[in-house]
Amino acid sequence: MQTKRLDTSPAAIALAATLIRRGELVAFPTETVYGLGGHALDEQAVQAIFTAKGRPAGDPLIVHLADRRDLPHVAASIPPLAAQLAATFWPGPLTLIVPRHPQVPLAVTAGRETVAVRVPAHPVAQALLQAAEVPVAAPSANRFGHTSPTTADHVLADLNGRIAAVIDGGPTPIGIESTVLDCTTTPPTLLRPGGVSLETLTALIGPIEVHRSFKTDTDETQGLVSPGLLERHYAPDHELWLFSGRPEVARAHLRAEAEQALAGGMRIGLLLPEEDLALMRDLPAEVESLGPTADPEAMARRLYAALRALDERKPDRMFARDFDDTGLGRALRDRLRRAATRVIVIDGEERTA
Ligand code: TXA
Ligand code: MG
C-alpha cells in the first residue's frame, strides 16, 4: 500500500474523512503529536491500528471527538469531575478516562470497562473529526515504543506503506502528548503528565493521585535507576544517558562522562538546553539544542524532533540532562526518562552512580 501525503485543503480533508469512514487508517496532526486515526466504532479498523503500529493488544487507545457534546456517545456515564474538566480544557491536550459506552468496541479499550477520550484543538484534527462524523481512535502515529511523531515526515519514517494516508499539517504546536487523567477513581489519578500541567489541574479540582510509575521525584529514584525499573518508551535506536540532579552538578557529571566516552573513541551526541551547549562547545559532538531552559514550551515542541534528528546521526552514545519536576517539566522529564537507556541521579554534590 502506498501512503498518500495529503494537504490540508477541504478536498483533502473530505478524502481523509471518507477513508476513515471506510475503515482505512489516516494519520493527522493534533496540537500534541500526530495521531494514527481509525473509525473507533469499527472493530476491524481498530485492529488495523494495532497491526500498523505493532502495538500490543493490551495497550488501550484514545478516542477523539469533534465536540465535547459527543461525549455521551462513547461514555456510559459522565463523572461530574469529567464534565467540569471537559468544559474547561476541551478542545485541548487533556485526555479523560471515563466509563465505556457499550458501543465502543472492547478492542479500543483493550478489554477495559473504561475509555480514554479527548477533543483535540488542532484545526486540522477538528476539520477531520467534523467531516468524519464518527469517533476516531488514535494513538500516536509511531511504531510501538518508538519516539512520537511531531511532523508528517516522522509519521512516514515509521509507517510509510502501512497506512492509507497522512495529512501534512506541519509541525505540531505542543510537541508532547496529552495529559491522561483517570476520572473513574476518587481522587482522580494522573496516568500520564502532558500538555496540561498537574498544577493547573489541581488548582481547579483539588487533590490528584499521581500514578506510581509516573512519580519522578528524585527521592523515589535515588542512585542508579536500572533501565528495567522505568518502562522504556519513546525510545531512540541508540544509547541515551540521562543525568539528573542540580543543574551545575548534573552538567559537570555529564561533561565528565562525555569526555570519557570521547577518549574511548566513541562518537557522542548531546541533546541539551542552549545554556548547557554553550558550556560544551569545545567537545567534538553531534548536538541538538532544545532552546533556552527559560522557555519550556519551546523545549517541549523540539524534544521529539531533536531526539530523532540526533538518533539519525547514529552516535554511539547520547547524553541529556533531566528537567525540573514542575509544570511542563514533569511531562518532559517523564518522556526523557522513558527514552533513556540509563538514568544517573546525582544527589547534591555526591555522585551516586
Ligand atoms: O496527545 C495524545 O494523547 C496523542 C494524540 C494523537 O491525541 N495520543 C496518544 O495516544 O498519545 P497513545 O495511544 O500513544 O497513548 C494513550 C495513553 C496510553 O498510555 C494508554 O495506556 C492510555 O492513554 N490509556 C488509553 N485508554 C486507557 C484506559 N481506558 N485506561 C487507562 N489508560 C488508558
Ligand atoms: Mg504513544
Side-chain angles (χ1 to χ4, degrees):
M1 180 202 312
Q2 176 99 21
T3 300
K4 278 199 191 71
R5 188 195 286 260
L6 300 175
D7 61 29
T8 59
S9 64
I13 301 281
L15 170 60
T18 303
L19 289 169
I20 297 247
R21 269 208 306 275
R22 264 197 225 142
E24 308 262 6
L25 305 184
V26 178
F28 61 98
T30 79
E31 71 277 33
T32 58
V33 300
Y34 274 70
L36 170 55
H39 191 327
L41 307 182
D42 173 343
E43 187 150 357
Q44 278 183 9
V46 174
Q47 298 295 359
I49 294 176
F50 283 91
T51 307
K53 269 194 76 127
R55 181 167 175 135
D59 199 357
L61 307 177
I62 297 174
V63 173
H64 294 67
L65 304 175
D67 195 291
R68 72 183 148 86
R69 284 170 297 194
D70 299 333
L71 187 53
H73 299 306
V74 297
S77 61
I78 302 169
L81 201 80
Q84 187 190 355
L85 290 166
T88 311
F89 294 104
W90 285 357
L94 178 66
T95 296
L96 302 173
I97 310 280
V98 294
R100 177 185 71 94
H101 189 289
Q103 77 160 340
V104 176
L106 285 165
V108 171
T109 68
R112 288 169 176 73
E113 285 307 332
T114 58
V115 61
V117 189
R118 94 176 181 97
V119 176
H122 195 290
V124 173
Q126 273 290 326
L128 176 65
L129 290 164
Q130 275 165 29
E133 294 180 317
V134 294
V136 171
S140 52
N142 51 281
R143 292 283 198 118
F144 179 72
H146 199 202
T147 310
S148 297
T150 57
T151 67
D153 284 340
H154 295 163
V155 174
L156 289 170
D158 275 23
L159 299 173
N160 196 8
R162 303 175 72 91
I163 60 175
V166 53
I167 306 176
D168 188 347
T172 57
I174 294 179
I176 53 168
E177 300 84 346
S178 63
T179 303
V180 179
L181 189 73
D182 188 346
C183 298
T184 67
T185 61
T186 312
T189 312
L190 181 74
L191 297 181
R192 179 176 72 184
V196 177
S197 76
L198 181 61
E199 292 87 340
T200 304
L201 291 173
T202 306
L204 186 75
I205 61 168
I208 291 172
E209 175 79 20
V210 176
H211 192 272
R212 243 192 74 65
S213 71
F214 295 96
K215 274 191 186 145
T216 52
D217 323 306
T218 35
D219 317 351
E220 289 246 328
T221 50
Q222 280 305 329
L224 175 68
V225 176
S226 78
L229 218 120
L230 291 162
E231 184 203 354
R232 211 156 170 251
H233 209 57
Y234 312 99
D237 293 329
H238 299 90
E239 237 181 72
L240 174 65
W241 285 21
L242 178 64
F243 291 77
S244 188
R246 283 200 293 118
E248 327 74 81
V249 185
R251 216 179 265 136
H253 284 299
L254 185 153
R255 192 189 162 98
E257 288 289 353
E259 283 174 350
Q260 203 176 317
L262 285 167
M266 282 188 165
R267 286 181 58 240
I268 65 163
L270 303 174
L271 177 73
L272 289 168
E274 198 174 276
E275 297 95 309
D276 293 54
L277 287 177
L279 298 169
M280 299 194 199
R281 279 213 190 94
D282 55 310
L283 298 181
E286 300 286 344
V287 300
E288 281 292 328
S289 173
L290 296 172
T293 47
D295 191 351
E297 277 84 13
M299 290 203 289
R301 204 153 45 231
R302 285 220 27 80
L303 182 66
Y304 289 144
L307 188 54
R308 279 189 186 243
L310 199 57
D311 202 31
E312 273 164 18
R313 280 175 260 157
K314 306 186 190 336
D316 298 306
R317 187 173 292 159
M318 299 186 280
F319 296 85
R321 192 159 66 72
D322 214 359
F323 290 92
D324 280 347
D325 204 9
T326 54
L328 208 48
R330 179 182 289 266
L332 291 166
R333 168 178 281 208
D334 170 67
R335 302 307 189 275
L336 263 186
R337 288 193 175 203
R338 282 166 196 281
T341 44
R342 190 175 175 199
V343 182
I344 295 154
V345 180
I346 300 127
D347 178 21
E349 299 290 334
E350 284 300 310
R351 184 180 171 182
T352 55

